[in-house]
Amino acid sequence: MTALTWEEKEQLITRNLQETLGQDNMRTILKERDLKVYWGTATTGKPHIAYFVPMSKIADFLKADCEVTILFADLHAYLDNMKAPWSLLQERTKYYEAVIKAMLASLGVPLDKLKFVCGTDYQLSKEYTLDVYRLSSVVTQHDAKKAGAEVVKQVDHPLLSGILYPGLQALDEEYLKVDAQFGGVDQRKIFTFAEKYMPQLGYSKRIHLMNPMIPGLAGGKMSSSEEDSKIDLLDSAAKVKSKIKKAFCEPGNIEDNGLLKFLKHVVYPMFKAGEGFEIKRKEEFGGNQTFEKYEDLEALFASQELHPGDLKASVEVYVNRLLEPIRKVFNDDFHRELTERAYPTAAGNKKAAAQTTGENTPDKVELQVGQILEATKHPDADTLCILTVDIGNGTKKSIVSNLMAYYGLEELKGRSVVTVTNMKASKIRGVESEGLVLCAFNKDKYEPLVVPEGAKIGERIIVEGFDNTATQVAQLNPKKKVWDKIQAELKTNADGEALWKEFSMLTLNGDRISSTLKECNIK
């Protein structure tokens, strides 16, 4: 096999990228030796089919004789709004490694050319920690927030963890001893942040390679939190067919077309010389046709000479060709159990919950469906109101709340709410409060959790796997701050479901408590 020239290596490294920062430096290195590149992925949601886009570029890097490191950024996953709780970090890292190896094998990439590294293997070291402190002495809060704007969830009062995130990613370049970092163009602000601040610590400015963002099947960004926008790597052939049939594929539209972009960035780079994308259709509609160049396929679709239905049917064939080897790898007890541990289903949650012990678990909290009977203004606070809440069996609780800042008093009357009813009464601005109304909140809104239709006043609410309805729930001890520690793990997920850690909040019928506010904290 003929060795590649440095120009050929550069072409492989940069093809299909949206932007390259530091290309002159890259050419200087390639003239002397092979490039060292890393790609990092935070181990949060399940990898989906869009992960083939970076995998395809990693295949290009390997073809260009690059030394490639894949970083499983487990610590970053926790820092980004705790998208992966500590209890699941290790299992999700194992899942990511297994699924990425299966993806690369599906693309025909030899794994012996790759190095896999886990972030916590070195990010907790003394040297790395000292560099985090050194970095914090030169980085402004403004620059840190700006750097993470496209990646870390933005709120008015951000957690310090999200502000640290960009700096840690910048330091990874030095500690992985690479020449270049690869990522999506949504990482650009972090990349330029690294270029600005790494030299201030005495470290060299790295090259940055950026992929374009690929539209999802429904149009817009492909997201693991939007079921119809993506295909899971373990979806069956029938599910693939169903999702591709629903995919947004407007005749002649080549811009907001996730199917075409997937072909350009994943399928075409796989082809060897002489291979092409095959469209199969009846003779009266143009007959079978093979496109060796993506540009020819795109031009035909743009001219509306290729029907969206024919494109979808052909894409389905290639998607299943990529996914079938991954399905086979995960079709055994080891990989099924790994998947369940990393992303617990309802049954798995009960098992995992049984292994969660300690006094700061949600079975220590008595949650009940309540109905607000009256809402009056607090006599000594303009933003507080006093709620009279019926919790069943003739019992009413007086609860001081800040909901008056977001709702009219009449709006609150008659509303069903989730209440914490085993708290010790305490005075708030001189008025005794006997519990809490649980609310999801973001910078713009504060909203009581939504109780499913049919739930009865006084009905107990449980956290999945922590059923406390058979026992008398003791009053929470305010001195031990049990509620504070439990409340810190309450949140809504990307679907608006109310969770404690990864466990769902449910009625006794199994209906989920929810909110219109997604990926928010609850208190």
Side-chain angles (χ1 to χ4, degrees), residues 289-333:
Q289 196 169 357
T290 299
F291 299 86
E292 290 190 21
K293 294 181 179 179
Y294 169 77
E295 292 75 15
D296 295 338
L297 173 69
E298 185 184 84
L300 194 74
F301 188 83
S303 67
Q304 300 191 32
E305 295 178 56
L306 174 59
H307 191 274
D310 293 326
L311 178 65
K312 288 181 179 183
S314 299
V315 169
E316 179 191 336
V317 172
Y318 288 87
V319 167
N320 278 315
R321 193 178 296 175
L322 284 169
L323 297 187
E324 188 54 32
I326 302 172
R327 296 183 191 122
K328 287 180 179 178
V329 168
F330 276 75
N331 189 28
D332 62 24
D333 289 342

Side-chain angles (χ1 to χ4, degrees), residues 38 69 71 115 117 122 171-178:
Y38 104 86
T69 298
L71 171 67
K115 181 167 67 173
V117 176
Y122 65 89
L171 284 172
D172 290 339
E173 297 177 343
E174 174 64 24
Y175 280 79
L176 292 172
K177 302 302 179 186
V178 296

Side-chain angles (χ1 to χ4, degrees), residues 42-44 72-79 82-96 118 120 341-343 502:
T43 49
T44 52
F72 297 117
D74 51 352
L75 187 57
H76 292 70
Y78 180 78
L79 290 175
M82 294 179 286
K83 287 181 180 175
W86 280 115
S87 58
L88 295 181
L89 278 181
Q90 189 175 15
E91 299 301 336
R92 289 195 176 173
T93 299
K94 292 176 184 175
Y95 179 88
Y96 265 66
C118 188
T120 48
R341 291 197 305 272
Y343 299 95
E502 67 271 25

Side-chain angles (χ1 to χ4, degrees), residues 258-271:
L259 299 180
L260 283 175
K261 302 301 182 186
F262 185 79
L263 292 177
K264 178 180 180 180
H265 291 276
V266 177
V267 175
Y268 268 88
M270 290 169 44
F271 291 150

Side-chain angles (χ1 to χ4, degrees), residues 387-459:
L387 307 176
T388 302
V389 183
D390 182 358
I391 59 168
N393 296 322
T395 304
K396 298 180 179 63
K397 292 276 187 180
S398 178
I399 297 174
V400 177
S401 169
N402 68 344
L403 282 170
M404 199 174 86
Y406 302 90
Y407 296 88
L409 295 176
E410 289 300 317
E411 288 182 89
L412 294 171
K413 291 181 183 179
R415 188 168 189 139
S416 293
V417 291
V418 177
T419 57
V420 180
T421 55
N422 65 324
M423 302 189 78
K424 185 177 180 180
S426 61
K427 286 192 176 182
I428 300 177
R429 301 289 291 273
V431 174
E432 189 167 75
S433 184
E434 301 176 296
L436 288 173
V437 171
L438 289 187
C439 299
F441 64 96
N442 60 25
K443 64 179 181 178
D444 300 315
K445 195 172 181 182
Y446 206 89
E447 176 188 271
L449 294 180
V450 178
V451 177
E453 288 187 22
K456 298 177 182 177
I457 297 173
E459 181 179 340

